Amino acid sequence: MFKARALATSLVIASAVLPMAVPAQTPAAPAAQNVRVRGVIVHADAKSLTVKDRSGEVVTLVRPADMRVIEVLPVTVAAIKPNSFVGAGSMPQPDGTQRAVEVLVFPEAMRGTGEGFRPWDYMPNGTMTNATVSALSAAPASVPGGQKLVLKYKDGEKTVIVPRGTPIVTFKPGNDDQSALVVQGAKVVVTAQLKDGRPTASSLLVGRNGFTPPM
């Protein structure tokens, strides 16, 4: 399977590249590399998950007992407030702003998660900004009904334009509701690693009743 090969390749690359600062006599164990699988659950049982990835490929992963399950729920744009901590998946624009394709409003308990600006693997050239909303206003007239967010993180800031109709979501712990969430037909984003030579799910973002996590 392609995804299984990708996990194996990631692990090989990680083991070959050790930090230059590590003394030769005490080599550090390489960190496990994450691979995301986005798709639909076609089978789930107590020990495994089979997911049809968005490319059409079917991937089977080990489902460990400690797999973290997070429900992704839609919310309205009103959930974005000054001082909210958000994750804005975006595309860079010629004027230097970012145009959002989804915004995650983190629960307060998750404030600071992944803070910063980085590439995002959802789409080519995608970016992700996890930061605090320092200013909130109407978007320029060229984006009617949208919002303009100034997002500040510890090393800088980004201006993100959120067009009207952009998916806005939040997270809710889902481990206690797995029987309703981790089911055939559920739309998911699985974060997986290679463990003991087998692709293994470490966390699962999942929508209820067919809702698609937009990340």
Side-chain angles (χ1 to χ4, degrees):
M1 294 181 186
F2 173 79
K3 291 293 181 182
R5 290 199 302 271
L7 284 163
T9 301
S10 296
L11 188 63
V12 169
I13 291 172
S15 65
V17 182
L18 295 176
M20 294 297 292
V22 176
Q25 67 270 26
T26 56
Q33 300 296 296
N34 290 331
V35 173
R36 274 177 286 276
V37 180
R38 299 175 171 92
V40 181
I41 295 176
V42 295
H43 176 77
D45 59 39
K47 297 294 182 65
S48 70
L49 290 173
T50 301
V51 177
K52 186 175 183 180
D53 157 283
R54 61 182 178 174
S55 70
E57 189 170 6
V58 176
V59 184
T60 297
L61 307 104
V62 175
R63 178 183 180 177
D66 62 352
M67 180 184 73
R68 188 181 186 193
V69 178
I70 299 174
E71 183 178 358
V72 182
L73 305 106
V75 293
T76 70
V77 71
I80 303 174
K81 303 179 185 301
N83 201 44
S84 293
F85 187 80
V86 304
S90 309
M91 291 295 293
Q93 302 300 294
D95 64 359
T97 65
Q98 305 289 316
R99 186 182 180 96
V101 298
E102 66 87 19
V103 179
L104 164 66
V105 182
F106 282 96
E108 187 59 29
M110 297 182 72
R111 177 177 291 274
T113 300
E115 184 177 7
F117 176 76
R118 63 186 63 82
W120 181 40
D121 66 350
Y122 184 77
M123 61 181 68
N125 302 316
T127 67
M128 179 60 68
T129 309
N130 285 14
T132 299
V133 178
S134 66
L136 176 62
S137 60
S142 58
V143 190
Q147 288 193 321
K148 177 181 176 181
L149 311 180
V150 178
L151 302 183
K152 286 196 173 183
Y153 48 95
K154 61 183 178 181
D155 297 322
E157 69 177 39
K158 294 293 178 184
T159 298
V160 178
I161 305 301
V162 184
R164 181 168 54 191
T166 299
I168 313 295
V169 298
T170 192
F171 282 164
K172 178 182 176 182
N175 280 78
D176 292 339
D177 203 15
Q178 293 191 50
S179 61
L181 293 171
V182 187
V183 295
Q184 184 177 1
K187 310 291 181 60
V188 296
V189 181
V190 187
T191 299
Q193 299 173 339
L194 196 70
K195 293 186 177 180
D196 299 323
R198 302 174 67 191
T200 301
S202 58
S203 67
L204 182 77
L205 305 181
V206 57
R208 188 183 294 267
N209 299 326
F211 179 73
T212 302
M215 65 272 291

